[in-house]
Amino acid sequence: MEVIKDTSVPIQTSSDVVRVRQMVREWAVTLGLSLVDQTKMITAASELARNTYEHGGGGTVRIESLNNASRRGLRVTFSDEGPGIANVEQALTDGYTTGSGMGLGLGGAKRLVNEFAIDSVPGRGTRVTIVRWRPA
């Protein structure tokens, strides 16, 4: 898989969460994702950026345009050095929340993308990677 273009930006404020959402929208449009796929990717990225800011104490996002033989995609990776997630499987369960939300965040984000990976170590932080592929 070839990374065609990439950028990394910090997520330290609520304004950064909005900026991530706008950047993912721009990259998804440039990649040629359908409006439905754009909306899914933007929604997932927005949720994960908010989690990085609110639960991870801030972090970074890396956005990459991918080329994999016959298809192109958008990969977005969120990283923080926050408290981590003690039970990832539980955190992915609808209804589970550590805050005042509805508990649809991580599981919802996972359902909106083609690929989803999470790596979290309590006390060391969390990294979540999502990918949306443009249909051939």
Side-chain angles (χ1 to χ4, degrees), residues 46-120:
S46 181
E47 175 63 26
L48 296 170
R50 188 181 61 76
N51 284 355
T52 300
Y53 169 62
E54 291 182 0
H55 301 292
T60 59
V61 61
R62 180 179 175 101
I63 304 171
E64 300 167 291
S65 179
L66 307 174
N67 188 19
N68 186 3
S70 64
R71 60 185 184 167
R72 294 186 63 206
L74 182 61
R75 177 168 57 199
V76 186
T77 303
F78 299 87
S79 302
D80 68 62
E81 295 179 0
I85 302 170
N87 185 333
V88 171
E89 188 174 320
Q90 182 183 32
L92 288 167
T93 304
D94 287 348
Y96 176 78
T97 181
T98 57
S100 59
M102 295 173 58
L104 300 175
L106 281 178
K110 182 177 181 179
R111 286 189 297 275
L112 291 171
V113 297
N114 300 125
E115 296 176 21
F116 180 96
I118 184 167
D119 180 29
S120 188

Side-chain angles (χ1 to χ4, degrees), residues 29-43:
V29 168
T30 300
L31 181 65
L33 291 178
S34 71
L35 184 57
V36 170
D37 286 346
Q38 289 174 37
T39 302
K40 288 177 178 181
M41 191 65 167
I42 294 162
T43 302

Side-chain angles (χ1 to χ4, degrees), residues 15-30:
S15 296
D16 292 335
V17 173
V18 174
R19 183 169 53 140
V20 168
R21 185 178 174 91
Q22 292 168 338
M23 289 176 69
V24 169
R25 178 186 313 274
E26 290 169 11
W27 284 57
V29 168
T30 300

